[in-house]
Amino acid sequence: MSAHVIADDAEALAVAALLAEELRAGASARDAERRLPGEELDRLSASGLLAVTVPAEHGGADVSVPTLAEIFRLLASADASLAQIPQSHFAYVNVICRQGDDEQRKFFFAELLAGRRFGNAQSEAGTKHVQDIRTRLHPQGNGSYRLDGVKHYSTGALFADWIPVLARAEDDNLHVAYVPRDAPGLTVIDDWDGLGQRTTASGTVRLEDVEVPADRVLPHHLTFEGPQLHGAVAQLLHAAIDAGIAGGALAEAAEFVRTKSRPWFESGVETAAEDPLLIQRFGELAIQVRASEALLREAARAVEAARADLTDDSAAEASIAVAAAKVQAAQAALDVASALFEVSGTRSSLNSLNLHRHWRDARTHTLHDPTRWKIQHIGRYVLNGTRPPRHGLL
C-alpha cells in the first residue's frame, strides 16, 4: 500500500474538505444498502489523512489538535459512519506516541505513512462495566504473549491492517497489543446491526490463543499515572463527529426546504424558504450548530495548549473543555437531526429519501458514553475545583 504524505495543517484541511465532498455523494446509498465502505476507506488511506499525527521527526505532518478535530467534523458532515471508523485509529496512534519505545515508534509510524489502518478491539459486552476488561495476555517462555478474549463494538477492525487489543496482563495492568488483522486465531465478525452508523461494521472480534510478540505490546496503564490527554483527544473526536452530523443534517434540511418543501397555506408566501416561522426555526437550529462548532474549536485549542505544557491543571482544563463540547455537540446532533423532519414536512419522512439516517447516526453515536456524567464533572470542577478523573473517557 502507498499513500500520499501530507506536509502541513493547511494541506490536511484541504484534502479533508475535498474527500468529504467526494464521500457525500454516495453516503445515503451506502447507508440504505448497508454497503461497507472498503473502497472509500482505501481512498482515505491513500489521501494521507490517517498519518497526519505522525511526529515531524518521523516524516509526518504532526498537525495541531484543532486541525485533527476539523478533519473529523468535515468527514462526519458527509458520512458519519465513515468518520467514526478512524476515531479509534487516532486514539491508538496516541498510545504509540506516548508509550512506544524508539523502535516501536519507527516501525508503526512507517506503517501509518504507508497508509496502514488501525482498527480496535476494546469494548466487551456482558461485563460489570466498561472498564471491566477480561481479555488476557498470557506470557510465554520465549518472551511473547498469548491473547484470549472476545471484543464487541470493534469499529474499524474489519477494515484494519492492525487491530489494537485492550487486554490485562497477569498483574491486571492494562496493555495494548497491536495484532495483524490476519493473525492466526483472530476472527473479525461483521455482526453489527445498529439502527444507525450502519456501515461502521462495529462487530465482534474473537481472540483464541493469538500469539503476540513482546515488542507489539505497549503498557497502556502508564498513560494514566500522570497528567494525560488520551481521553481528551478521543472524546474531542467524538464531539467533532457529533458536530459534523448536526451541520450535515442542517445543510440537507435547508436544501430540502429550498427545493422540495411547500409553504404552509396560511403563511401567504410563495415558497417554503420564505415562511417566517421556518426562517425562525432555521435560525434557532443554526445557533445550536454554531455553538457546537465554537465549543469544539475552543476545546481543541485547550487540548493543544495542554499538549504544549502538560500539567495536572492544563490537562484538567482540556478535559473539561472537551466535556462541554461533547455535551453541546451531542445535543445539537440529536436536535437538528430530529428537527429536519419538522421543518421539511411530510415528504421528508419517506423511507426512500433516507433523510432519517442523520437522526439514526446521531442517536447511535451519542450513546458512546453518557453526557450526564460529563455534566457532573463540569459542575464539580466549576463549583469545587475538583479535577476530572484520569480514566481516559473524559
Side-chain angles (χ1 to χ4, degrees):
M1 181 182 294
S2 62
H4 173 67
V5 177
I6 289 174
D8 54 29
D9 290 62
E11 185 183 7
L13 291 173
V15 170
L18 180 61
L19 183 60
E21 286 310 306
E22 293 175 359
L23 296 172
R24 193 183 311 278
S28 179
R30 286 192 296 273
D31 174 89
E33 300 165 11
R34 198 179 179 270
R35 176 159 43 86
L36 299 181
E39 179 182 337
E40 289 77 14
L41 282 167
D42 285 344
R43 286 157 62 189
L44 176 62
S45 287
S47 75
L49 288 172
L50 294 180
V52 293
T53 58
V54 170
E57 59 267 30
H58 288 273
D62 197 13
V63 300
S64 69
V65 178
T67 292
L68 184 62
E70 180 63 4
I71 288 170
F72 271 80
R73 190 195 68 80
L74 287 167
L75 294 177
S77 72
D79 185 337
S81 283
L82 191 138
Q84 176 58 33
I85 291 170
Q87 188 273 340
S88 56
H89 169 95
F90 283 97
Y92 287 105
V93 173
N94 284 345
V95 174
I96 294 170
C97 289
R98 187 170 174 100
Q99 300 303 337
D101 62 29
D102 289 343
E103 286 303 311
Q104 289 167 330
R105 291 191 185 109
K106 181 180 178 180
F107 174 80
F108 279 115
F109 291 154
E111 288 284 281
L112 294 168
L113 289 168
R116 305 285 192 270
R117 295 191 290 265
F118 290 167
N120 94 91
Q122 177 171 295
S123 294
E124 298 180 12
T127 57
K128 186 176 181 180
H129 51 69
V130 70
Q131 291 197 319
D132 182 16
I133 302 297
R134 301 182 183 180
T135 299
R136 292 286 160 174
L137 278 166
H138 306 290
Q140 305 299 297
N142 61 2
S144 67
Y145 294 88
R146 291 283 176 174
L147 192 58
D148 290 285
V150 180
K151 298 291 189 175
H152 299 268
Y153 312 115
S154 301
T155 304
L158 191 68
F159 310 108
D161 298 290
W162 291 89
I163 300 179
V165 180
L166 206 58
R168 294 194 183 277
E170 286 190 322
D171 58 6
D172 215 37
N173 281 330
L174 204 58
H175 292 71
V176 177
Y178 290 76
V179 183
R181 168 69 176 81
D182 59 357
L186 186 152
T187 306
V188 182
I189 305 167
D190 178 22
D191 56 0
W192 171 243
D193 65 348
L195 66 88
Q197 294 197 293
R198 288 177 172 175
T199 60
T200 59
S202 301
T204 301
V205 171
R206 295 189 178 277
L207 303 140
E208 299 175 312
D209 205 27
V210 177
E211 184 172 4
V212 186
D215 62 357
R216 297 292 178 261
V217 178
L218 275 67
H220 192 32
H221 61 99
L222 298 180
T223 301
F224 308 104
E225 291 188 357
Q228 52 82 32
L229 298 172
H230 180 82
V233 172
Q235 291 297 309
L236 182 74
L237 300 185
H238 281 309
I241 292 167
D242 289 339
I245 293 172
L250 183 63
E252 189 146 10
E255 177 65 15
F256 192 92
V257 169
R258 283 193 297 264
T259 61
K260 296 181 177 66
S261 295
R262 297 182 297 180
W264 184 245
F265 71 94
E266 292 179 284
S267 67
V269 297
E270 291 297 315
T271 68
E274 299 172 284
D275 185 329
L277 299 184
L278 283 180
I279 289 171
Q280 174 73 19
R281 188 67 177 118
F282 268 96
E284 294 167 350
L285 296 174
I287 289 169
Q288 279 196 271
V289 172
R290 283 174 174 257
S292 68
E293 293 173 353
L295 283 175
L296 180 69
R297 290 191 294 269
E298 178 185 289
R301 288 193 294 268
V303 176
E304 182 72 7
R307 191 169 76 151
D309 182 20
L310 186 60
T311 65
D312 283 328
D313 287 338
S314 66
E317 286 284 348
S319 288
I320 293 299
V322 170
K326 182 65 170 68
V327 170
Q328 172 61 30
Q331 195 60 57
L334 291 168
D335 288 351
V336 176
S338 178
L340 182 155
F341 304 100
E342 169 198 336
V343 297
S344 300
T346 306
R347 185 181 174 189
S348 65
S349 67
L350 294 177
N351 196 53
S352 60
L353 296 176
N354 200 26
L355 293 177
H356 48 67
R357 74 185 184 281
H358 299 291
W359 183 86
R360 289 187 288 99
D361 285 341
R363 181 64 281 173
T364 302
H365 184 257
T366 55
L367 297 175
H368 267 85
D369 44 78
T371 56
R372 59 186 177 272
W373 275 100
K374 297 182 187 301
I375 295 170
Q376 281 283 310
H377 291 304
I378 293 168
R380 291 170 184 171
Y381 185 74
V382 171
L383 187 59
N384 299 315
T386 305
R387 295 190 187 109
R390 293 174 177 165
H391 52 45
L393 296 174
L394 194 71

